[in-house]
Amino acid sequence: MNDVLTRVMRSWGYTWAGDLPPDLVCELDVLDRLLRAPPQEAGALAQHFVRPDLMLDLRDGVNEIAARRAIHDRNRNALETTQRLWTEQTNGASPSGLLPALQAMGVPDPDLWHRVILEHDKADSNQREAALWCIEQPACDRASIARYMADLVTSGRLVRAAQCGDIALLDRLRAVIEAVNDGKYPQAEIALSPRDAVAGEDQQFSMALAQLADLTGEARWPAPVGLFTDYPGRAPYPRDNWCLCSGALIAEPRAQDYFPDVPRAP
């Protein structure tokens, strides 16, 4: 955002905001607010300019660049952290399990979490705990959460948790559903295969929630809104250098798995 404002000032012949006359200060302030405003406010702010359409196009372009940069920085951080863990492991550090390894990263890696969620061994309590932890992370992709929630019903795990009185698990699952409905999982990059793998699961999930309410005697949970839909997106980036059983890295991370535009080694 600041780069855009600086370029606008330079186009006016100024290099420092303190030199701007009052009318241009106001115009720059409105532009700044326009670039940062949510969509419902941006349209009204754009009307302060001669060409509102151009200002909205500028806002869209700036936001797209910012989003791409955020994704680039996230993937770079994930790569650098995984490289650090690989170095520590090759120097003798032993992983203490999948969940501690994921937590030790300290930075988001939605593609790794996606693999854990889709491929974890549901008979392994440690891997189940790791998958649950993944869907609780705010940067988890909505496709990953949708797949996890759909599997809860098809596997019968949601109902079994109620039958066994696993209140701790139920509380965590309900918190995730509430977070979905509160818009706390904005990321939707990753595709499911097929893209409609969970589309239409609303009815099955609704039936499971009704059964859950009967078993617990508590008020029925809210259903996740807009979760069971198509997920076209992009293919998940490979994270096959992780062992889901031990949490160990079995190969050094590859830059092309974090930045697909990087040429693969021959």
Side-chain angles (χ1 to χ4, degrees), residues 152-153 155-165 170 207-209 211-212 215:
L152 274 181
V153 174
S155 68
R157 187 181 175 206
L158 182 61
V159 171
R160 285 198 303 273
Q163 292 170 334
C164 297
L170 293 177
M207 292 171 60
L209 292 182
Q211 191 174 358
L212 184 64
L215 289 168

Side-chain angles (χ1 to χ4, degrees), residues 209-226:
L209 292 182
Q211 191 174 358
L212 184 64
D214 289 340
L215 289 168
T216 61
E218 297 181 355
R220 180 168 170 160
W221 292 5
V225 178

Side-chain angles (χ1 to χ4, degrees), residues 120-133 148 157:
H120 74 280
D121 182 355
K122 298 177 179 61
D124 184 326
S125 60
N126 293 322
Q127 292 187 49
R128 288 200 311 270
E129 181 65 21
L132 177 58
W133 179 87
Y148 184 97
R157 187 181 175 206

Side-chain angles (χ1 to χ4, degrees), residues 124-191:
D124 184 326
S125 60
N126 293 322
Q127 292 187 49
R128 288 200 311 270
E129 181 65 21
L132 177 58
W133 179 87
C134 288
I135 69 163
E136 293 175 319
Q137 306 312 300
C140 189
D141 199 275
R142 288 179 66 88
S144 310
I145 298 169
R147 180 72 275 176
Y148 184 97
M149 288 297 180
D151 288 345
L152 274 181
V153 174
T154 56
S155 68
R157 187 181 175 206
L158 182 61
V159 171
R160 285 198 303 273
Q163 292 170 334
C164 297
D166 193 344
I167 303 302
L169 174 59
L170 293 177
D171 285 347
R172 292 172 73 181
L173 293 174
R174 177 166 185 165
V176 170
I177 292 175
E178 291 175 349
V180 167
N181 291 344
D182 289 342
K184 295 181 179 178
Y185 293 102
Q187 181 166 301
E189 297 176 27
I190 300 175

Side-chain angles (χ1 to χ4, degrees), residues 7 23 27 52-53 71 74 76 90 95 97 110 114-115 125 148 152-153 155 164 173 200 221 235:
R7 291 180 182 180
D23 60 327
E27 188 167 343
D53 56 332
I71 292 171
R74 182 198 69 205
R76 182 199 63 212
T90 54
H114 188 75
R115 183 185 170 216
S125 60
Y148 184 97
L152 274 181
V153 174
S155 68
C164 297
L173 293 174
W221 292 5

Side-chain angles (χ1 to χ4, degrees), residues 1 4-5 31-37 58-59 62-63:
M1 301 294 184
V4 174
L5 299 179
L31 175 58
D32 183 41
R33 289 161 54 199
L34 169 66
L35 295 177
R36 302 177 189 275
L58 173 63
R59 175 184 177 277
V62 169
N63 287 340

Side-chain angles (χ1 to χ4, degrees), residues 5-21 23-24:
L5 299 179
T6 299
R7 291 180 182 180
V8 170
M9 281 196 305
R10 288 176 177 169
S11 72
W12 293 337
Y14 296 89
T15 58
W16 184 53
D19 292 333
L20 291 173
D23 60 327
L24 292 184

